[in-house]
Amino acid sequence: MLAVVAIGLLGYFLVHSAAVRLAAEASDLRKSSAERLGDVNSLSQIPGQRATQLLIGIATNPAAPFDSRNAAVAALKRRNDPAISGDLAILLQPQNAETLRRAVADALNQLPCSFDCARSVLHYLERMWRGDSNSDDVVLDSPPTAFLAKVDPQMITSKMNDAHENRQQLVSKLETILSKNRAPTLAGLRQIYGLGSYHPSGFALYMMGELRLSEACPDLQKPHLEDITGEKMASQIQAVKQQLCSSP
């Protein structure tokens, strides 16, 4: 019996050590891209929570190469673990690369989105709603004179159009994720953005309309809500009510 336990512990230790080594090598800039991606793939074949946490560690490590981070996100999607949606969604930040944000959105589209997940998705969409730039927008927003070499304005315009289209596609996918996970989305809009309070955020009203959250109509029925929010907010509230809450 003791021998069986010892063999089991040894096997666990060896697998654990292999997983830690693969995670470290997957983030090693001295290795080629093909080698790092192979390490991520090998790590993804190891079952268990430890391997999952190591993949999350690669995906969320800002010092890791982007190809490794993207591959780790794809590997996490294949693990189909609902508990990781919050860890993935926090990567939806404008400073992260577009490829990483798209990989995260693709993964979340296949997973149940928890409250933590919905909160991070809403946070990213709020930043876009307020006009923040993504990392891939910054260079494109610079005037051609900021470049050392001459730049074809037509090429810049084309790239800016592509960037705008990519952003819209990402926003659309994230809104689909929120729409599919309405309960945590509504919880986020209520707890963080004040939907249902006497001072709702304009973003909460905007998302209520975008996602057609008619089940939140009671949140707009508080007495005198329109009178104490100011003219602009009262107009937004009235517009959403007319869009979603009108009697048939």
Side-chain angles (χ1 to χ4, degrees), residues 16 53 63 134 152 177:
H16 173 83
Q53 290 304 313
N134 289 304
D152 180 357
I177 291 166

Side-chain angles (χ1 to χ4, degrees), residues 142-206:
S142 301
T145 53
F147 293 84
L148 294 177
K150 290 185 178 180
V151 177
D152 180 357
Q154 187 174 0
M155 180 184 71
I156 293 294
T157 301
S158 175
K159 287 186 176 181
M160 290 182 71
N161 289 337
D162 290 343
H164 178 74
E165 183 177 347
N166 289 338
R167 177 192 287 201
Q168 290 305 114
Q169 289 175 353
L170 177 61
V171 167
S172 177
K173 183 167 290 188
L174 294 177
E175 288 182 347
T176 297
I177 291 166
L178 292 177
S179 186
K180 290 195 303 185
N181 297 272
R182 298 171 87 80
T185 297
L186 280 167
L189 291 174
R190 287 167 177 152
Q191 294 181 31
I192 301 168
Y193 297 99
L195 187 63
S197 74
Y198 284 108
H199 299 282
S201 162
F203 174 72
L205 298 172
Y206 169 77

Side-chain angles (χ1 to χ4, degrees), residues 8 51-52 86 123 188 222 228:
T52 297
H123 170 73
K222 290 186 179 296
I228 67 171

Side-chain angles (χ1 to χ4, degrees), residues 207-227:
M207 289 307 300
M208 184 177 168
E210 281 292 291
L211 303 178
R212 304 195 65 79
L213 297 172
S214 57
E215 57 266 52
C217 285
D219 292 308
L220 303 183
Q221 303 301 329
K222 290 186 179 296
H224 312 301
L225 178 60
E226 296 177 19
D227 297 333

